[in-house]
Amino acid sequence: MFRDVRMKRAVLTLLIPPFAACRFGCAGCCAAPIGVFWLASITSIIYGLLGGPTNLMGPSINTILLGVGMWGIASVWTAITIRSAGDDKCENRSSAVCNKILPDNDESDPFDEVRKAR
């Protein structure tokens, strides 16, 4: 069973990095930038297959390699995020980036001053 979960993590990390970061990582906030790299890599690979920026008659190898490199960056970033999921900092959820800070009921709206200034 444990091996099956590890295999699923590895396959998702290689094929769909943003989903793996959300599913197995503690930092769901990393899924958005990982997703940007992953989508940009897919776009670059498809664009390279269609001729690339120089409108070649065949595939643009440089553009395809750029896409493969960006896919690799997204996969490594996901692997690092998943590996750090067991750290103590993930148990606390004390990260200001990943947690929403909700105002108290007695706090005023900060944009009220802006509206008054108009």
Side-chain angles (χ1 to χ4, degrees):
M1 177 70 181
F2 182 71
R3 186 173 183 204
D4 187 36
V5 172
R6 287 179 60 191
M7 182 65 77
K8 186 185 289 187
R9 269 190 219 163
V11 169
L12 283 177
T13 298
L14 291 175
L15 296 180
I16 312 171
F19 181 71
C22 282
R23 178 86 167 99
F24 299 110
C26 71
C29 59
C30 287
I34 290 171
V36 169
F37 269 81
W38 183 63
L39 290 174
S41 69
I42 291 172
T43 304
S44 179
I45 291 170
I46 292 171
Y47 188 51
L49 290 173
L50 297 176
T54 56
N55 202 14
L56 298 173
M57 295 304 272
S60 173
I61 301 300
N62 291 335
T63 309
I64 293 172
L65 289 177
L66 174 71
V68 170
M70 290 179 70
W71 195 310
I73 289 171
S75 294
V76 169
W77 192 350
T78 302
I80 291 170
T81 301
I82 290 173
R83 186 171 300 164
S84 67
D87 292 350
D88 291 336
K89 65 182 177 183
C90 292
E91 300 300 325
N92 298 359
R93 299 279 183 179
S94 62
S95 173
V97 174
C98 294
N99 293 333
K100 277 176 94 172
I101 300 173
L102 300 174
D104 292 334
N105 291 337
D106 60 344
E107 289 184 29
S108 64
D109 184 16
F111 290 108
D112 283 341
E113 296 297 323
V114 174
R115 290 183 195 109
K116 288 178 188 176
R118 283 197 217 175

